[in-house]
Amino acid sequence: MSDTPSELRYAKSHEWVKNEGDGTVTIGITDHAQELLGDLVFVDMPEVGDNVEAGSECAVVESVKAASDIYSPVSGEIIVVNKALDDAPETINDDAFGEGWIFKVKISDAADLDGLLDAAGYDALVAEDA
Amino acid sequence: MDKQTCLYESHKTMGARLVPFGGWEMPLHYGSQKEEHHQVRRDAGMFDVSHMTVVDLEGPDARPYLRRLLANDVERLKDSGKALYSCMLNEQGGVVDDLIVYFLRDDWYRMVVNAGTTEKDLAWLNKQAEDFDLQIKPRRDLAMIAVQGPNAREKALPLLPAEMRENVTALKPFNAAPADGWFIARTGYTGEDGFEIMLPENEAAGFWQALADAGVAPCGLGARDTLRLEAGMNLYGSDMDENVSPLESGLGWTVAWEPAERGFIGRDVLEAQREDKEKRRFVGLLLTGRGVLRNHLKIFSGDTEIGEITSGGFAPTLGRSIAFARVSAGIGETCDVEIRGKRVAAQVVKAPFVRNGKACISL
């Protein structure tokens, strides 16, 4: 039933993390999260060069309904943000796990990744919420 | 436990996301709030507004009663079916509720009040009725469906009971026609043409489905809110409440000062405030910087806090963020809004922002 990609890892706060294998990760919000938020109209990005702590707020997505914080699931330095979302925040609605990625982090502690959920674990979490 | 309207099962069948609102479980959207908004601006959409309360006021004193109760003057209503928007004030000039009242006969008026304020309103209506000869009848037996958009009338007319079609086709804006248990008004809360249709509860689901089959999109409270905001229409509880007067809520135009001898409730306080040059202004804002304006964000002029947003959001028709704000009298043409600790520039504009599908402000 699930379209939750098995190659990604997930935070309980509904972000996904893709390990790029070079000490960097790409982060976005899950399809479930975008569906709950509704039509997205603005993304407030972190600054490139900012240092983030695992579990800290670092971006905000705003839908027609409300603003919602995005937490970085890992600690490290913001190295890239998805500038394309400035003009097309709805990309997150259309392709949350792909083109709708939000930012990339150079991780300072690879152990952060171990604490994240796999696809089955995330699906179970979503099922619990429903 | 939140109440459900008689269209609850229809909403579930059509995939609504249901949320609590004013004591009711109502559709927020049926998939995409933004698409529903566009559908109303470009074609036709429908809203279940059965949670709002229809109240009939019947009796020989209906008119003198309403002339005391409401800040606007029902004496202005000469033709049967004509509608009037008004605030109902407390003795302090605060807004108990905003409502639409229809004149039907000298001894019969009908009003529509907000869902969340219904019990309070009925208590207030009854309290004020002590010296008047009339009956106050909440019509819980009626459902209400708003059909709105440039094609709304064309799509809804053929689906109405045949005997009322001719009368309804001829209805002018802000007029209504009662017929056979139905009541059809050419009014709305979106800035588009259309109808608000009251009908017996047991006929509502069939009519709703017929509208859907005719290509009228079901729309939720989310789109209703962005549409009314663009249309420059106030929302009770956000833009005004019992602690502010209509004069500080952009509703001065709804207060009938003449004739001067008409003593409506709250008049004394409003008369004094009318002369007050320092009273707060209610303005439209267009965000020129990046972000989204939200309720309660603070407004600054330079370093001085001058007010706050009463309702704000993203305006899908404009692709920009807009808001209403209550601010100090001295506000200029621009201001700053504090969003997450940062000051973002906004322009003061005159509402409405959008009417009949078109922007009314320059972007």
Side-chain angles (χ1 to χ4, degrees):
Chain A
M1 62 158 253
S2 169
D3 294 325
T4 309
S6 58
E7 69 276 19
L8 304 179
R9 291 294 172 268
Y10 300 89
K12 286 179 181 166
S13 47
H14 304 287
E15 293 84 9
W16 57 261
V17 179
K18 182 183 183 194
N19 187 349
E20 303 291 355
D22 58 357
T24 71
V25 296
T26 303
I27 292 162
I29 64 170
T30 66
D31 197 51
H32 173 71
Q34 71 77 20
E35 207 174 302
L36 285 183
L37 290 165
D39 301 300
L40 292 176
V41 294
F42 178 65
V43 185
D44 202 355
M45 300 283 191
E47 298 280 334
V48 170
D50 279 1
N51 282 299
V52 292
E53 298 259 335
S56 65
E57 299 161 17
C58 67
V60 177
V61 288
E62 300 219 29
S63 71
V64 278
K65 281 182 281 186
S68 183
D69 290 320
I70 305 299
Y71 302 89
S72 178
V74 297
S75 299
E77 182 192 342
I78 306 280
I79 50 168
V80 190
V81 299
N82 187 355
K83 280 283 172 201
L85 297 178
D86 279 354
D87 291 327
E90 66 275 12
T91 308
I92 296 176
N93 295 117
D94 299 338
D95 188 10
F97 292 123
E99 293 297 315
W101 65 274
I102 300 175
F103 58 96
K104 293 176 193 265
V105 174
K106 184 176 173 192
I107 48 176
S108 52
D109 184 356
D112 284 345
L113 294 170
D114 300 338
L116 298 172
L117 301 168
D118 61 11
Y122 181 70
D123 284 342
L125 177 86
V126 169
E128 237 171 72
D129 284 352
Chain B
M1 184 66 192
D2 287 322
K3 289 174 281 199
Q4 298 169 353
T5 75
C6 62
L7 290 169
Y8 182 78
E9 290 303 324
S10 308
H11 300 322
K12 287 218 297 199
T13 306
M14 291 181 176
R17 182 168 149 75
L18 293 149
V19 296
F21 179 84
W24 295 79
E25 197 175 347
M26 298 299 292
L28 181 63
H29 60 72
Y30 299 79
S32 166
Q33 177 176 333
K34 207 162 69 172
E35 284 313 309
E36 290 164 20
H37 179 109
H38 290 316
Q39 184 75 19
V40 172
R41 287 272 179 258
R42 294 166 187 168
D43 184 3
M46 59 183 173
F47 304 82
D48 177 12
V49 285
S50 306
H51 59 311
M52 298 184 79
T53 306
V54 180
V55 184
D56 281 342
L57 306 159
E58 294 177 45
D61 283 350
R63 187 193 314 239
Y65 168 76
L66 286 168
R67 295 194 74 201
R68 163 127 187 92
L69 185 78
L70 302 180
N72 210 337
D73 189 358
V74 295
E75 191 70 33
R76 291 176 173 183
L77 303 174
K78 303 294 185 196
D79 301 323
S80 180
K82 185 80 175 124
L84 184 77
Y85 173 73
S86 182
C87 289
M88 176 162 79
L89 307 180
N90 58 26
E91 299 288 355
Q92 293 73 44
V95 183
V96 177
D97 203 1
D98 67 331
L99 53 88
I100 283 188
V101 59
Y102 300 93
F103 164 59
L104 294 161
R105 285 194 315 253
D106 285 341
D107 60 351
W108 180 23
Y109 289 78
R110 169 170 284 187
M111 58 167 66
V112 181
V113 302
N114 283 302
T117 52
T118 294
E119 295 312 315
K120 173 186 87 166
D121 289 351
L122 289 173
W124 181 255
L125 291 174
N126 282 306
K127 186 179 167 201
Q128 302 305 328
E130 277 168 19
D131 299 330
F132 294 93
D133 181 6
L134 84 161
Q135 286 183 297
I136 295 164
K137 299 180 184 169
R139 294 293 305 272
R140 316 263 190 205
D141 55 315
L142 293 176
M144 186 153 43
I145 297 171
V147 188
Q148 302 275 295
N151 301 326
R153 291 172 68 236
E154 188 187 320
K155 288 187 173 179
L157 279 168
L159 307 176
L160 296 174
E163 63 277 12
M164 66 180 72
R165 227 170 275 159
E166 194 177 332
N167 280 345
V168 174
T169 305
L171 273 183
K172 294 195 171 65
F174 240 62
N175 277 270
D180 197 23
W182 288 50
F183 183 93
I184 298 165
R186 195 166 166 194
T187 51
Y189 194 47
T190 61
E192 299 298 324
D193 201 352
F195 296 127
E196 290 178 300
I197 299 168
M198 301 167 206
L199 71 170
E201 281 198 317
N202 61 5
E203 296 181 62
F207 184 60
W208 180 266
Q209 186 58 51
L211 287 165
D213 293 343
V216 179
C219 301
L221 293 175
R224 187 169 162 80
D225 191 49
T226 51
L227 287 159
R228 71 91 198 165
L229 181 64
E230 286 187 344
M233 294 171 174
N234 289 34
L235 173 63
Y236 188 80
S238 294
D239 299 314
M240 69 289 195
D241 59 26
E242 296 195 2
N243 301 312
V244 291
S245 88
L247 306 185
E248 291 186 318
S249 308
L251 297 174
W253 62 276
T254 71
V255 178
W257 301 103
E258 299 296 333
E261 63 274 18
R262 185 178 69 96
F264 63 85
I265 299 167
R267 175 160 195 145
D268 298 347
V269 179
L270 257 56
E271 293 272 10
Q273 194 181 48
R274 194 183 181 188
E275 304 302 322
D276 179 6
K277 299 276 185 289
E278 298 302 305
K279 71 171 170 290
R280 292 170 295 175
R281 284 181 60 197
F282 190 81
V283 298
L285 296 181
L286 171 69
L287 190 66
T288 41
R290 289 168 42 77
V292 182
L293 299 173
R294 301 286 183 190
N295 300 15
H296 306 302
L297 292 180
K298 290 175 178 163
I299 314 287
F300 288 82
S301 175
D303 289 332
T304 312
E305 188 180 328
I306 56 165
E308 74 168 30
I309 287 177
T310 55
S311 53
F314 181 78
T317 308
L318 306 174
R320 299 278 293 276
S321 184
I322 59 173
F324 296 140
R326 189 174 290 110
V327 294
S328 312
I331 190 170
E333 290 175 3
T334 58
C335 62
D336 288 331
V337 183
E338 189 173 271
I339 304 178
R340 292 186 282 279
K342 285 182 221 157
R343 302 285 169 84
V344 185
Q347 194 185 332
V348 177
V349 297
K350 191 168 162 23
F353 304 92
V354 177
R355 265 297 146 89
N356 296 319
K358 303 265 182 335
C360 307
I361 56 168
S362 49
L363 298 174

